[in-house]
Amino acid sequence: MDPTLKDLREWLLREHSGTVCADRLSVIASELADLTARGLPGAVVELGCYRGAMALWIRSVLDSLGDHDREIHVYDAFQGMPAPGTEDSDHLAAGELRSSPDHVRATHAAWGRPAPAIHPGWFDETLPKELPDEIAFAYLDGDFYDSTLRGLTHCVTRLVPTGVLLVDDYADTAVNPRAWDGLPGVKRACDAYFGEPSPVTVVVGEGDLAFGRYEKPGSLG
């Protein structure tokens, strides 16, 4: 691993342990290396960025791969969580995880990285108008049913062929009994959007990672 990435990884795991973990960092780095190696066109988007820890990791990994010009767009209301809906648990309450665009900028500035394009606002306001037309990689971290469903609705159609969408907190305990299942609305939203059989596959990590992976069918050729 690039020495700078190694230092950054240790810092993120220490300073942002509430939103990143070793499994998340390694899986996302692997996906970015793959899309770069394949020359996949399109932007990277993150839905639910909080203080920008994962966006910083994404930027740094892309830079280490020489992919300096790929755009990164992040979307967050920066007003904390909305109220959970009927499909959600009470793990997160309205107003939790409040942040600001300045937090995202400061996180990047601490490591000398350019900040991503920041899109403040609720997903139903920003996603229809402000998502890039072509998305190579999407990271959905909406936590709740409605937020996840909106993210899927607007991102899947914009994924380029063979582009990848990762859904955080997607827990299919039948496939991966170790997966953390504290936000059940996420998988329920995926099931509602994709139907059965679901094209979402489970990503298993070393710990309690709960990740779902969707790859857009088709080929660039």
Side-chain angles (χ1 to χ4, degrees), residues 122-162:
W122 299 109
F123 290 168
D124 59 349
E125 300 165 348
T126 57
L127 299 185
K129 299 178 293 184
E130 298 179 27
L131 276 173
D133 291 333
E134 287 192 325
I135 297 173
F137 177 74
Y139 180 52
L140 269 59
D141 191 10
D143 295 325
F144 288 164
Y145 180 94
D146 285 348
S147 301
T148 303
L149 190 58
R150 286 196 179 96
L152 292 168
T153 299
H154 294 291
C155 286
V156 170
T157 55
R158 291 172 169 84
L159 277 178
V160 300
T162 72

Side-chain angles (χ1 to χ4, degrees), residues 34-133:
D34 180 65
L35 75 86
T36 300
R38 293 190 291 126
L40 209 63
V44 171
V45 302
E46 181 187 17
L47 275 55
C49 67
Y50 190 42
R51 292 173 173 261
M54 190 59 79
L56 170 62
W57 178 248
I58 291 170
R59 176 75 275 158
S60 300
V61 170
L62 288 173
D63 286 352
S64 76
L65 295 164
D67 199 352
H68 303 283
D69 295 330
R70 193 179 299 271
E71 293 181 0
I72 300 172
H73 296 256
V74 299
Y75 301 79
D76 201 297
F78 297 109
Q79 299 178 47
M81 296 297 298
T86 57
E87 299 288 344
D88 299 306
S89 70
D90 59 1
H91 177 73
L92 292 171
E96 283 193 66
L97 302 178
R98 185 182 297 268
S99 181
S100 75
D102 283 342
H103 283 130
V104 178
R105 296 185 188 101
T107 297
H108 284 71
W111 285 82
R113 302 288 182 183
I118 303 172
H119 302 263
W122 299 109
F123 290 168
D124 59 349
E125 300 165 348
T126 57
L127 299 185
K129 299 178 293 184
E130 298 179 27
L131 276 173
D133 291 333

Side-chain angles (χ1 to χ4, degrees), residues 183-201:
L183 294 166
V186 172
K187 183 178 183 299
R188 291 171 184 168
C190 292
D191 291 344
Y193 179 82
F194 287 111
E196 293 292 341
S198 176
V200 179
T201 58

